[in-house]
Amino acid sequence: MRLLIAALCLLPLPLRADPAIDRVLDDVVTPGFTSFVAATDALERAAQADCRASSDGLRGAWNAAMDAWLSVADLRFGPLEDDARRQIIAYWPDKSGHRTKALARLLTPGNPGLADAGLFRQQPVSVRGLYGIEAMIYDPRFNGYGPDDPGCALVRMAAADLDETARAAAEAWDTDFAATLRTAGDGANARFLDEIEARQVVFTALLASIQFDINERIGLPIGTVETPRPLRAEGRLSGRAQRNLELALAAHERLAMALAPDDALMTAEDFERVRFMAGKLDDPDFSGVETPTGRFRLEAVQTALTLLRTVANEELSAALGVTMGLNALDGD
Amino acid sequence: MTSRRQFLGTALAAAALPRLGWADAGDPAFLAAAQDPDGSYSLFGLSASGADLFRVPLPARGHAATAHPEVPEAVAFARRPGTYALVLNCATGRVIARLTAAPGREFNGHGAYSMDGDTLYTSEVVALTGEGRIALWSRSDGYRRIGEVASGGIGPHEIRRLPGTEMLVVANGGIRTGPGDREKLNLDTMAPNLTYLMPDGTVEDQARLAPEWHRASIRHLALDAFGNVAFAMQWEGPVEEAPALLGFHGLHGGAPRLARAPDDLHRAMQGYAGSIAAFEAGGKVAISSPKGGRVQVFDSDGTFAHEILRADVCGLAPLGDRLVMTDGHGAFVVTEGGVPVGHTRAPRAWDNHIVAL
């Protein structure tokens, strides 16, 4: 015992980078934000080139940006949570239907909110970001605008605003937050008091992201047996509910494997199974929840994902030396 | 009638055992309940620097505790709807007595002692109706339940005794739940209040919130040495409409004063304050939001001072001019002026409260 303590004292702990955190940064954060910023950049250029909803270039660029977002959306801490960036980029679910009303209000000729970037930023988050643009180019109530209509101005404004928000998040990671994670436990680091806290924040974000799929991505359209809610599916308008789920699962898996590549074997097996099941749904917009078979299949994915979450919680918390808290779930 | 054997036993025990004071308990400074990695629950006695001094297994999830004013004895309460409370010897961690909820009553997680320490008060509800009760338990009679009085509202949560008096202040949270569960049944009609009452049930004063804030459940209390009360609330309405989560009041003080952080920071609390502590001799009050992952500190005049970000933070306790916080990830953190100055970590999830002894 005494030898062990002596040995521990010899380790230059504060200087030793945490391999789990290094992998998260190198395998997920850096490539993820590089792609996301490139995609929002391309979307902005596509909107400038042709803002019409029928434009293949615009639709392709929007879909690529949505794909790229899903590869960083699990990072539920730091820059994406500061300055309401997550809400600005991806305001969903919109359970009270704010988006439709806010878009209708904003889409009036000469509205200053569409002419000035600063005023656009003061609009409700529901009209901004990826889902605001999705409504503009896929919702038949909005997508009939011509190049001189307010709709065109809105799409261009929203694309530029999204690009700026993505850049700000990427830059904050690059110049500040990556170092904050890497220096966890240094005396000057008040955000992460020790190495465990840096791991904890990533681990918690992963589990929260899986729970988000269980409750929202899958849970919302499933609704209840009596009342399925296919219209509530994420990506209903663009017909990419299944694709979003598949990409989200792939992102969860990448993050889990970055955290514990060798110690989460059952988690890895579960991911393979759930991704296989999700890939077989054959239900692009989850409208299948209204049929017994469609509903059964999506519920099966939900159940498998719930089991995966339990396994991931056990394996990863043991591998990382972290604990899942009780307080945020059900306080008193 | 006392039997000869009982009399002798008592007399011998009294003669043989020098009275233990709090200093003999290995100086535990705090009590806190936690969930262990295997899923079981325990109560821990902690030193001022956060080191474990003892651990007592709990039969079910714990909530808060209250310390005897003189001897190293404390009562740990089950989380509501609670069926048990354990009286501990804090020197050894040994369980001295087990309190069981009376038929048709449920413990609500908090309690307080009388000035002389001979009466324990527990916040309870009538299981069927949610009506609040303060039960009285006699320490000298082996913690026998000797009576109860109405708490002055529905769903009482924390109770405290005003320093230097026998007056109790009760946070009647206003939420009615079903017997044996936590489902909220009356969110449309809930009407929380802060009630000051004597142990005989006489209500001395009662403070309420404005009608439009009737869904702000008053649940937790912090007192300064003069008996000024700060209270923390949990909003049961739409989260974007959450009003202030912190209030101040004094006996016969009229309407409560409310305090909130600037808009963005207030919103980040997500309508939920889980614990409250007064520190710096009552000059500062902190409230925690585990849902928002932050602690917000206010001056006692209600001015927002600063916030401290910590995921799953909930437990708060004073340590002189410092503020101690515990979180669900096992950290015990001491802060001064909003900056961490020390911490310990244990493989366990600290539960809602840490109680200063």
Side-chain angles (χ1 to χ4, degrees):
Chain A
M1 188 66 192
R2 207 173 282 167
L3 268 177
L4 177 64
I5 292 169
L8 285 172
C9 290
L10 292 175
L11 285 175
L13 277 174
L15 300 176
R16 192 173 58 89
D18 181 347
I21 292 300
D22 281 347
R23 284 189 300 266
V24 168
L25 291 168
D26 297 344
D27 301 351
V28 178
V29 176
T30 305
F33 272 101
T34 305
S35 313
F36 183 44
V37 169
T40 58
D41 226 26
L43 174 59
E44 196 211 348
R45 278 184 275 111
Q48 287 301 332
D50 186 352
C51 66
R52 287 172 306 166
S54 55
S55 155
D56 287 342
L58 180 63
R59 289 191 172 204
W62 178 82
N63 276 284
M66 193 73 215
D67 287 356
W69 161 247
L70 291 165
S71 69
V72 293
D74 288 3
L75 302 168
R76 295 172 183 270
F77 48 90
L80 283 177
E81 306 308 313
D82 296 339
D83 302 328
R85 287 192 188 108
R86 174 178 300 276
Q87 282 71 37
I88 293 168
I89 294 168
Y91 182 74
W92 189 87
D94 175 24
K95 287 178 187 162
S96 314
H98 293 299
R99 185 159 11 251
T100 314
K101 285 174 241 163
L103 281 173
R105 269 198 305 275
L106 185 57
L107 285 168
T108 49
N111 192 319
L114 297 179
D116 178 87
L119 292 178
F120 183 76
R121 281 196 292 273
Q122 292 170 26
Q123 302 302 316
V125 284
S126 62
V127 304
R128 299 170 69 182
L130 288 163
Y131 300 102
I133 301 173
E134 181 193 34
M136 289 307 299
I137 57 183
Y138 289 104
D139 188 334
R141 288 170 292 184
F142 299 113
N143 69 358
Y145 57 88
D148 300 321
D149 291 332
C152 178
L154 196 155
V155 165
R156 285 183 172 149
M157 201 57 94
D161 174 60
L162 171 66
D163 188 35
E164 192 177 318
T165 309
R167 280 174 182 283
E171 192 179 313
W173 266 104
D174 197 34
T175 59
D176 176 49
F177 200 74
T180 305
L181 267 182
R182 275 205 169 101
T183 58
D186 281 12
N189 192 328
R191 175 76 192 261
F192 300 112
L193 302 181
D194 53 35
E195 214 168 66
I196 294 289
E197 295 208 332
R199 295 169 163 214
Q200 179 83 54
V201 76
V202 185
F203 168 76
T204 305
L206 171 65
L207 292 193
S209 297
I210 296 173
Q211 196 66 46
F212 182 81
D213 288 356
I214 295 168
N215 294 353
E216 316 284 342
R217 271 201 179 101
I218 300 178
L220 279 186
I222 277 185
T224 61
V225 177
E226 298 79 34
T227 322
R229 301 273 191 184
L231 298 180
R232 292 192 179 175
E234 185 204 34
R236 163 83 179 184
L237 291 167
S238 51
R240 47 176 294 151
Q242 180 181 332
R243 179 171 178 83
N244 286 356
L245 176 62
E246 287 185 62
L247 290 173
L249 292 172
H252 306 333
E253 185 177 12
R254 268 199 303 281
L255 190 55
M257 293 307 121
L259 281 170
D262 305 320
D263 302 311
L265 300 179
M266 279 158 47
T267 306
E269 281 176 21
D270 278 10
F271 266 120
E272 198 174 334
R273 178 165 54 247
V274 176
R275 289 210 286 122
F276 177 79
M277 291 168 73
K280 291 280 182 198
L281 281 170
D282 191 23
D283 187 5
D285 64 358
F286 288 171
S287 55
V289 294
E290 289 187 300
T291 69
T293 314
R295 182 181 180 81
F296 177 80
R297 284 187 180 173
L298 196 55
E299 279 180 341
V301 176
Q302 189 183 40
T303 305
L305 196 52
T306 305
L307 296 172
L308 179 154
R309 190 181 182 280
T310 306
V311 171
N313 188 359
E314 283 172 15
E315 279 192 330
L316 291 172
S317 59
L320 300 169
V322 301
T323 323
M324 207 45 206
L326 306 165
N327 298 309
L329 301 176
D330 56 349
D332 198 346
Chain B
M1 197 180 113
T2 309
S3 73
R4 181 170 169 274
R5 181 178 293 179
Q6 270 176 344
F7 173 78
L8 277 180
T10 311
L12 277 173
L17 288 173
R19 200 171 144 102
L20 278 173
W22 271 106
D24 300 298
D27 278 335
F30 303 104
L31 292 176
Q35 184 179 43
D36 293 307
D38 66 1
S40 63
Y41 299 99
S42 304
L43 182 82
F44 291 85
L46 300 174
S47 74
S49 57
D52 290 358
L53 295 179
F54 62 78
R55 169 179 175 271
V56 181
L58 297 177
R61 189 167 168 188
H63 189 64
T66 189
H68 191 276
E70 285 160 23
V71 299
E73 206 165 288
V75 188
F77 296 96
R79 172 181 166 84
R80 76 179 168 86
T83 55
Y84 75 86
L86 300 181
V87 185
L88 311 172
N89 175 327
C90 287
T92 60
R94 199 168 56 83
V95 176
I96 302 168
R98 289 171 190 273
L99 279 54
T100 307
R105 300 288 182 272
E106 288 164 353
F107 290 122
N108 258 10
H110 290 266
Y113 274 100
S114 62
M115 282 177 81
D116 66 2
D118 195 49
T119 307
L120 171 72
Y121 306 108
T122 56
S123 67
E124 302 187 1
V125 289
V126 178
L128 275 176
T129 63
E131 284 168 57
R133 294 286 184 269
I134 304 301
L136 287 66
W137 307 72
S138 167
R139 177 175 181 263
S140 55
D141 199 359
Y143 282 98
R144 191 170 63 85
R145 195 178 197 273
I146 52 173
E148 64 176 29
V149 298
S151 77
I154 299 282
H157 200 62
E158 185 156 13
I159 56 179
R160 300 288 288 265
R161 182 173 53 75
L162 298 188
T165 77
E166 296 292 359
M167 175 111 46
L168 299 173
V169 54
V170 184
N172 283 304
I175 299 174
R176 183 183 163 199
T177 52
D181 68 29
R182 298 168 58 85
E183 189 189 352
K184 299 161 183 170
L185 302 175
N186 66 335
L187 296 184
D188 286 340
T189 57
M190 61 183 279
N193 70 52
L194 196 63
T195 297
Y196 298 79
L197 51 80
M198 297 303 289
D200 66 1
T202 313
V203 173
E204 294 286 336
D205 191 14
Q206 206 163 49
R208 292 175 186 280
L209 303 168
E212 66 268 31
W213 294 336
H214 77 98
R215 287 190 181 184
S217 179
I218 301 175
R219 304 186 74 73
H220 292 108
L221 304 171
L223 274 62
D224 69 10
F226 305 104
N228 295 306
V229 179
F231 57 91
M233 294 173 276
Q234 298 175 6
W235 175 245
E236 297 291 343
V239 66
E240 63 274 13
E241 294 170 17
L245 304 172
L246 168 65
F248 296 92
H249 193 258
L251 181 63
H252 301 306
R257 270 185 305 121
L258 301 182
R260 47 177 278 178
D263 281 353
D264 283 359
L265 301 181
H266 173 68
R267 263 197 297 279
M269 293 288 277
Q270 301 193 25
Y272 187 94
S275 280
I276 183 167
F279 61 112
E280 287 189 14
K284 290 255 190 315
V285 174
I287 54 174
S288 61
S289 171
K291 292 177 193 286
R294 60 195 64 221
V295 171
Q296 296 188 336
V297 178
F298 297 77
D299 295 330
S300 57
D301 67 0
T303 310
F304 174 72
H306 57 258
E307 68 169 14
I308 301 157
L309 300 182
R310 290 208 64 74
D312 209 64
V313 65
C314 197
L316 296 175
L319 182 63
D321 284 353
R322 295 175 165 186
L323 176 67
V324 168
M325 45 193 75
T326 50
D327 64 45
H329 306 315
F332 165 106
V333 184
V334 183
T335 64
E336 190 173 324
V339 179
V341 293
H343 84 289
T344 62
R345 176 177 301 285
R348 67 183 71 121
W350 292 117
D351 216 317
N352 298 161
H353 299 297
I354 178 168
V355 175
L357 297 174

